[in-house]
Amino acid sequence: MNVFLAMIPAFFWGTTYAMTQLTLPDWPPLLLGAIRALPAGLILLVIKPNLPNKADWPILIKLGAINIALFFSLIFIMALTLPSAISGVGMVSVPVFAMLFHWLFSKQRPNALQALSGAMIIIFAWLLFDPSSINLSPVGLAAMLAAISCIIIGSTITKALGTRIHWWTVLTWQLIIGGGILLIISGCQALISPDKYLHLAAEFTLLNGFGLSWIVLLNTVLGYGLYVWLLQRMSVVDFTFGSIANPIAGIISGMLLVGESYSPHQYALMAGMILASISPALIQMLRQKIAKPAAGRS
């Protein structure tokens, strides 16, 4: 049951790209990041009021800048420059970069299964992102790599916190802080280039409102709130299986909302990347199931 619950936030996160393309195609990524983060953080604060300790503010500001301000901006750059399916599937390569990061900086060598899975993801990604078969924006690809780096660095900082700060406090205040940073930066952008912001305000439509509501309420308030709640009740393996809904949602929403289509060969490469990303967790789960009856007989 928990695996299916974990699929809910992952699914909504995977719809971010196509939903942005459909409902908010001309909106600045900085403004979209601010609107996604700040209202969601304030709603979560109302649901469960809390205030960080004085000593916790520096780390929360760092997390808000990396996990929210920078990451959300990059996500919306991807949404506006890359196909939805490519963005969703490309993000399953996070484990590869995390493995390399921890190998280089923490001297944590991957096991053989992790290394094989990472190699398969790299091969499939190389074939899928081949410029001769698909034309992709260099800006979008650079944003994807930078977003993956944000996930790895942010999760490393968060993990180092241990239980020193409650998860809900971390989530709520990094959204508020990150959203506040983006609000200030987008405000400066509006002062420099006011025409675009004035045009958005003058031409605001119900479709824009629907897209913003989806991103704020479902992708962020529900998605992150459910994610934090499940963190205390699920194993890493369960989360890994739940995350498969993210790229699948990217593929399906891209197809249904913005008419994306690919060749059977490209869909096969996407499926290969997704399966390779969950294969270590799948094999670990199978080993545990086999080991349990053996332990019972002994």
Side-chain angles (χ1 to χ4, degrees), residues 53-76:
N53 297 324
K54 184 178 180 180
D56 296 332
W57 282 104
I59 192 69
L60 288 173
I61 291 173
K62 186 183 295 185
L63 282 173
I66 296 172
N67 276 1
I68 303 302
L70 184 55
F71 178 68
F72 277 13
S73 298
L74 293 167
I75 285 294
F76 285 116

Side-chain angles (χ1 to χ4, degrees), residues 77-258:
I77 291 173
M78 289 167 56
L80 296 171
T81 57
L82 291 176
S84 175
I86 294 297
S87 295
V89 173
M91 294 300 283
V92 304
S93 59
V94 169
V96 177
F97 289 91
M99 180 177 64
L100 294 173
F101 176 85
H102 291 299
W103 190 5
L104 291 173
F105 296 99
S106 303
K107 307 304 179 185
Q108 298 177 7
R109 296 188 63 179
N111 60 42
L113 183 59
Q114 291 171 328
L116 178 60
S117 172
M120 290 173 62
I121 292 174
I122 291 172
I123 292 170
F124 288 136
W126 183 271
L127 295 172
L128 178 61
F129 297 155
D130 182 0
S132 64
S133 61
I134 188 169
N135 185 25
L136 298 174
S137 164
V139 173
L141 291 175
M144 179 187 293
L145 291 175
I148 290 171
S149 300
C150 286
I151 293 174
I152 296 167
I153 295 171
S155 62
T156 302
I157 295 172
T158 303
K159 187 176 180 180
L161 288 175
T163 57
R164 185 164 66 87
I165 310 177
H166 193 277
W167 261 104
W168 190 271
T169 302
V170 174
L171 171 64
T172 301
W173 284 97
Q174 70 176 352
L175 282 168
I176 293 173
I177 292 168
I181 293 171
L182 286 173
L183 184 64
I184 293 170
I185 298 174
S186 61
C188 294
Q189 184 184 36
L191 290 175
I192 296 170
S193 305
D195 291 345
K196 188 163 192 174
Y197 282 78
L198 292 173
H199 173 74
L200 292 176
E203 302 295 329
F204 190 85
T205 65
L206 288 176
L207 186 62
N208 296 148
F210 175 77
L212 292 174
S213 299
W214 183 283
I215 289 169
V216 173
L217 298 177
L218 297 179
N219 286 26
T220 313
V221 175
L222 175 63
Y224 278 94
L226 185 56
Y227 169 74
V228 170
W229 183 75
L230 288 170
L231 274 175
Q232 314 302 322
R233 296 163 174 81
M234 292 182 63
S235 67
V236 175
V237 174
D238 288 340
F239 261 120
T240 302
F241 285 114
S243 67
I244 196 174
N246 189 311
I248 292 175
I251 295 170
I252 294 174
S253 61
M255 186 187 305
L256 296 179
L257 298 182
V258 292

